[in-house]
Amino acid sequence: MEAIILAAGYSSRANSFKMTQPIEHKTVLEHTLSKFDGICTRVIVVAGFQADNIAKEIERMNWKDKYSFQIDVVMNADFSQGMFSSIQTGCKEVMAPYFFITPGDCPLVKKETVHLLSEKPGHVVIPSFNYKGGHPILLSGEVKQRILDTNPESNLRQVLSYYEKNYINVDDLGVIMDIDTPLDFQYAKKYYQQHFLNTY
């Protein structure tokens, strides 16, 4: 099993490059990556805006000594076209029959949630909190091929409309939390201190 982390965006509403901002002892990007440890053999980080900083952050993590998965950073030269172009860039690299996709700014998902998703069958497995869908989502190789065959101007929602979705309701607010604004970031830090500190 593999994972795609989407980390190519501008962070335009965050007033800073959010992927390398710290939440306690890890950056946002490392928190997101770390949840796939012991579940995925490889994590593909799709970079675009500030790609050099993404590469430096991955190197700084000393991930080979900390995590069981391999990390590959790939560049989406067309990242300005939007998230679907980054999804397609990541899918070109996927070799496993099943893979996760998540934005890089969803760092507060519980590791138990990722384990639960990895055990569920289906072409599209989506976590939900109070019946609101979130991330990461688990997709099959068939969905990957449809993503690659789809017009780049489309979107993931359109691709997934062809498939039955297996929603897994979880007690994990993190699946619907992302970090778009400075206020989101302050809330994320407070949430982490309350729910994760001394746990991971």
Side-chain angles (χ1 to χ4, degrees):
M1 197 167 287
E2 297 177 340
I4 297 172
I5 309 291
L6 305 171
Y10 286 107
S11 301
S12 55
R13 289 192 287 162
N15 296 338
S16 62
F17 189 56
K18 57 190 174 184
M19 294 300 161
T20 55
Q21 292 297 304
I23 298 178
E24 294 292 335
H25 57 292
K26 296 176 184 174
T27 61
V28 168
L29 180 60
E30 185 171 358
H31 277 295
T32 303
L33 283 161
S34 68
K35 305 307 166 58
F36 297 100
D37 191 37
I39 301 167
C40 293
T41 57
R42 181 169 170 248
V43 175
I44 301 156
V45 179
V46 182
F49 181 66
Q50 293 204 19
D52 289 346
N53 282 338
I54 292 290
K56 288 176 183 176
E57 166 61 11
I58 297 298
E59 184 178 355
R60 186 204 62 78
M61 282 167 46
N62 295 317
W63 58 271
K64 293 180 182 179
D65 298 324
K66 295 168 70 175
Y67 300 116
S68 61
F69 48 68
Q70 173 184 335
I71 300 178
D72 291 329
V73 180
V74 298
M75 175 66 182
N76 174 18
D78 299 321
F79 70 91
S80 61
Q81 294 183 7
M83 186 177 289
F84 192 63
S85 67
S86 291
I87 291 172
Q88 289 183 313
T89 298
C91 283
K92 290 175 185 175
E93 306 295 324
V94 169
M95 295 181 285
Y98 289 90
F99 64 102
F100 289 98
I101 291 183
T102 185
D105 64 347
C106 294
L108 300 179
V109 175
K110 295 176 182 177
K111 202 168 184 179
E112 292 85 352
T113 296
V114 183
H115 269 289
L116 182 64
L117 294 168
S118 72
E119 296 171 349
K120 297 298 180 181
H123 289 294
V124 180
V125 181
I126 302 174
S128 67
F129 180 78
N130 287 343
Y131 301 97
K132 180 180 179 181
H135 292 95
I137 61 174
L138 181 63
L139 303 176
S140 70
E142 179 181 321
V143 180
K144 179 194 80 170
Q145 193 56 52
R146 186 179 285 271
I147 289 170
L148 293 174
D149 292 341
T150 297
N151 188 309
E153 295 181 1
S154 187
N155 56 66
L156 186 61
R157 184 185 299 273
Q158 179 63 34
V159 173
L160 299 187
S161 69
Y162 292 97
Y163 297 93
E164 180 181 353
K165 298 170 186 66
N166 187 354
Y167 284 95
I168 308 297
N169 202 45
V170 293
D171 183 19
D172 184 357
L173 178 62
V175 302
I176 59 170
M177 289 176 61
D178 56 11
I179 299 173
D180 287 326
T181 68
L183 189 61
D184 292 340
F185 190 71
Q186 293 305 314
Y187 181 79
K189 289 196 288 187
K190 187 175 295 185
Y191 183 86
Y192 179 83
Q193 291 168 353
Q194 293 172 344
H195 298 274
F196 285 89
L197 209 56
N198 302 320
T199 301
Y200 291 98

